Amino acid sequence: MNNEFSRREFIRTGSFSLAGMAILPSFLSMGCNRLTEQSGLEEYYSHFNVNREMLQKVIAEALSRGGDYCDLYFEHSLSNYVGLQDKQVNRAGSNIDYGVGVRVLKGDQTGYAFSEEISLDAMKKVAKTAASIANESKDYPPINLQERVHPEFCKIKTSWEDVSIKQKIPYLQKLNDKIFDLDGKVAKVQVYLDDSSSYILFANSEGVVSFDYRPMVSFIAVCVMEKGDRREDFFASRSMRIGYEYLNEELMDEIANEVVVGANKQFEAVKPKAGQMEVVLAAGGAGILLHEAMGHAFEADFNRKETSIFSDKMGQKVGEDFVTIIDDGTNPNYRGTLNIDDEGILTQKTKMVENGVLTSYLHDRISAKYYNVAPTGNGRRESFRYAPIPRMRNTYMEAGPHSKEDIIASVKDGIYVDTFTNGEVQIGAGDFTFYVKSGYLIENGKLTQPIKDVNLIGNGPEALRQISMVGKDLKIDCGTGTCGKGGQGVPVSMGLPTVKVAQLTVGGVNA
């Protein structure tokens, strides 16, 4: 395929909305200046066509009915995708999202409204709507807004806004070619590249004003292989808060090898016998079980409402001494990393479980006030259209005292699982079911036959108590994890060392 795309061809072959066809005109039509990762507060004011006095007026309107607190969340997000199928780049698209959300808190009640128009009149209208959560009349003097400076955990070299589609296309084609070249059984390949840049301006009634730049890239491949009359597939992805410099030969080789090895393994895989047995979770992506089965239950809103099984266990022993579970927003460039959360709180490293003891929930402003603790920087929202709620960021278990080899050698009859696809969790009871894409049987302390299409069934708190060995090999997965909760999706990362769970129910073949 010819790599030279004219603008007309690009629009015709892609699935563009008119708002997303060209980034530069969209800035001009909104009267916005071009932001960069080096821009300061005044540039962000100019970009959103606001100033300090306008923000003060909107905050005053939001508190005019007697609310306890309010915040303003401005967002401008630009996203692009390019897709390859049947050996050709044949789909592309862009999207621009732009607006402001106004939140008012009264006790533990939330009033929220948003506008896709940023003008003083529009903002005062949505502020008035959000203010209706309260029902008394008050006059507020202008809030003295002071900038909150934050660290930068997602430094980049080249912004995605400075990268043309012409520069991206060769990476999709090269990854496609690498996958086909690795194995003659490869029948079909799909490759996708998504990138985005988000600019956030935040102000609240406590006098805090801050801003944030949030880049993201996702590189995804699906490989379908044929062997006789059988077809198998495998999926691999990488996603980070990083710039164009992330794309290189090493990354493409890594993804290509992963999908080819994974698909090949499926041809030899069997289903294990069903029943309760020891399960070893592989380092990295198996952290999805930690995220879903345990992490959600540590989010403070579930505990405040007493729907989490951990709501009465603060300060209690919930696991072995070598079990420490972290939610961290400061890991450089990871998908769930934030400089500030969506409530303007500085992000941090939060130990939820330390040496087997439950030590902290994950808090937003509402739950922190309820528990009389400081927020942990876990207030997150999908976009300006949503109010923030407690959400995870990068969730992982710290490395333990055991080696991977000793963990596997300790299992006489069990399974080793390395790739999950989906699962379901009941937050209240903690019961979960996860679907395992791939792994191995463990027989007499050795990995033997590959396995696939396995269900893991258990209970989060019980599985936490059943963790009997934790490896030294912590790995944070760099996949395209997106966490859903309350109708919102946010990017997250998760990780795990090699972990042995003494007993889980495995849904396989009846013996």
Side-chain angles (χ1 to χ4, degrees):
M1 177 181 178
N2 189 341
N3 288 349
E4 295 293 336
F5 258 39
S6 72
R7 185 174 183 273
R8 183 180 299 275
E9 290 169 333
F10 187 34
I11 295 169
R12 177 172 53 80
T13 59
S15 55
F16 274 63
S17 66
L18 289 176
M21 285 191 292
I23 290 174
L24 183 57
S26 73
F27 277 104
L28 296 176
S29 65
M30 292 184 293
C32 298
N33 68 312
R34 166 75 156 84
L35 286 174
T36 70
E37 57 273 19
Q38 285 82 36
S39 296
L41 180 59
E42 292 303 321
E43 285 92 344
Y44 272 74
Y45 279 158
S46 178
H47 182 83
F48 287 103
N49 288 320
V50 299
N51 56 47
R52 191 180 303 267
E53 291 72 26
M54 290 171 66
L55 301 186
Q56 290 170 330
K57 290 177 181 178
V58 177
I59 290 171
E61 183 70 47
L63 295 177
S64 63
R65 296 288 299 275
D68 301 324
Y69 165 90
C70 83
D71 55 38
L72 316 180
Y73 182 86
F74 298 83
E75 177 188 5
H76 184 195
S77 293
L78 307 103
S79 57
N80 308 280
Y81 78 89
V82 186
L84 177 149
Q85 192 171 2
D86 299 327
K87 301 185 179 182
Q88 289 189 334
V89 174
N90 53 17
R91 59 195 65 193
S94 290
N95 185 66
I96 295 175
D97 216 7
Y98 181 82
V100 59
V102 179
R103 178 177 65 152
V104 177
L105 301 182
K106 182 66 175 179
D108 61 356
Q109 301 299 307
T110 299
Y112 197 78
F114 68 88
S115 172
E116 294 176 352
E117 176 189 344
I118 298 180
S119 67
L120 182 57
D121 286 345
M123 289 190 290
K124 290 182 74 172
K125 285 179 182 177
V126 295
K128 187 175 183 178
T129 300
S132 62
I133 194 70
N135 58 7
E136 55 184 299
S137 180
K138 287 189 176 181
D139 291 325
Y140 281 85
I143 300 295
N144 182 25
L145 294 172
Q146 297 292 325
E147 181 180 354
R148 173 174 286 169
V149 179
H150 54 72
E152 291 288 341
F153 298 114
C154 300
K155 296 179 180 179
I156 70 169
K157 293 181 180 178
T158 304
S159 169
W160 291 103
E161 290 178 70
D162 296 326
V163 181
S164 68
I165 185 172
K166 183 178 176 181
Q167 292 171 274
K168 300 172 188 176
I169 286 174
Y171 289 96
L172 283 77
Q173 293 174 324
K174 285 182 183 179
L175 179 54
N176 172 82
D177 295 346
K178 285 176 181 289
I179 295 171
F180 273 102
D181 290 346
L182 281 172
D183 198 301
K185 295 189 297 296
V186 176
K188 187 178 289 289
V189 172
Q190 297 177 41
V191 182
Y192 300 95
L193 178 64
D194 300 312
D195 64 79
S196 64
S197 299
S198 294
Y199 301 95
I200 307 299
L201 176 64
F202 177 88
N204 69 17
S205 56
E206 294 177 348
V208 172
V209 62
S210 192
F211 62 90
D212 199 13
Y213 166 70
R214 298 173 180 176
M216 186 77 76
V217 60
S218 300
F219 203 18
I220 304 160
V222 181
C223 171
V224 179
M225 302 181 81
E226 294 179 350
K227 185 177 180 181
D229 60 353
R230 289 185 59 188
R231 290 169 65 95
E232 297 289 351
D233 64 82
F234 208 76
F235 162 92
S237 64
R238 297 293 185 272
S239 184
M240 300 283 281
R241 289 196 184 276
I242 200 167
Y244 177 60
E245 64 275 8
Y246 187 56
L247 302 182
N248 56 41
E249 290 285 337
E250 183 180 354
L251 177 65
M252 290 187 290
D253 287 340
E254 188 177 292
I255 295 174
N257 279 289
E258 185 173 332
V259 293
V260 169
V261 170
N264 258 316
K265 194 167 69 173
Q266 300 292 294
F267 288 111
E268 311 302 325
V270 298
K271 285 191 175 184
K273 65 181 181 181
Q276 292 190 333
M277 64 185 70
E278 294 176 309
V279 175
V280 176
L281 306 174
I288 188 173
L289 192 146
L290 174 69
H291 171 101
E292 295 287 1
M294 302 164 201
H296 276 299
F298 296 141
E299 291 170 334
D301 51 347
F302 293 129
N303 289 280
R304 178 172 61 86
K305 299 171 185 175
E306 298 185 351
T307 56
S308 169
I309 201 165
F310 289 104
S311 62
D312 61 351
K313 293 180 172 55
M314 184 58 64
Q316 296 182 24
K317 194 81 169 173
V318 295
E320 296 289 344
D321 290 347
F322 46 74
V323 172
T324 294
I325 301 175
I326 305 291
D327 186 77
D328 195 348
T330 69
N331 307 96
N333 297 108
Y334 276 99
R335 184 169 164 85
T337 297
L338 298 168
N339 298 317
I340 54 173
D341 76 355
D342 296 333
E343 298 184 303
I345 302 295
L346 295 178
T347 195
Q348 64 177 50
K349 178 179 180 179
T350 305
K351 290 188 176 182
M352 298 178 286
V353 176
E354 185 171 11
N355 300 326
V357 176
L358 179 60
T359 55
S360 178
Y361 299 132
L362 301 179
H363 291 286
D364 64 356
R365 285 179 176 273
I366 293 175
S367 65
K369 183 177 180 181
Y370 177 86
Y371 284 102
N372 195 29
V373 297
T376 56
N378 287 90
R380 302 189 64 189
R381 62 182 102 197
E382 180 176 320
S383 75
F384 68 89
R385 295 180 176 86
Y386 300 88
I389 52 178
R391 307 296 298 274
M392 284 174 277
R393 299 161 302 193
N394 304 312
T395 308
Y396 58 92
M397 186 180 296
E398 283 193 341
H402 308 104
S403 70
K404 175 183 176 179
E405 294 73 21
D406 287 345
I407 292 172
I408 293 171
S410 73
V411 178
K412 182 178 180 181
D413 184 17
I415 62 171
Y416 174 90
V417 295
D418 54 24
T419 307
F420 290 76
T421 54
N422 54 48
E424 295 181 2
V425 181
Q426 295 180 349
I427 299 298
D431 296 328
F432 64 79
T433 301
F434 281 94
Y435 184 79
V436 177
K437 177 70 171 175
S438 69
Y440 292 91
L441 294 175
I442 306 178
E443 299 174 295
N444 297 316
K446 296 184 183 299
L447 300 181
T448 57
Q449 185 82 9
I451 60 172
K452 66 175 181 178
D453 303 336
V454 180
N455 284 321
L456 287 186
I457 303 166
N459 175 271
E462 181 60 28
L464 187 56
R465 286 191 291 269
Q466 290 282 343
I467 292 175
S468 57
M469 299 180 79
V470 175
K472 303 174 183 178
D473 55 344
L474 168 64
K475 178 183 178 183
I476 298 180
D477 183 61
C478 296
T480 51
T482 299
C483 175
K485 174 183 172 182
Q488 302 186 48
V490 296
V492 295
S493 292
M494 56 207 78
L496 206 66
T498 301
V499 166
K500 175 181 170 182
V501 184
Q503 184 173 281
L504 283 176
T505 298
V506 175
V509 179
N510 292 326

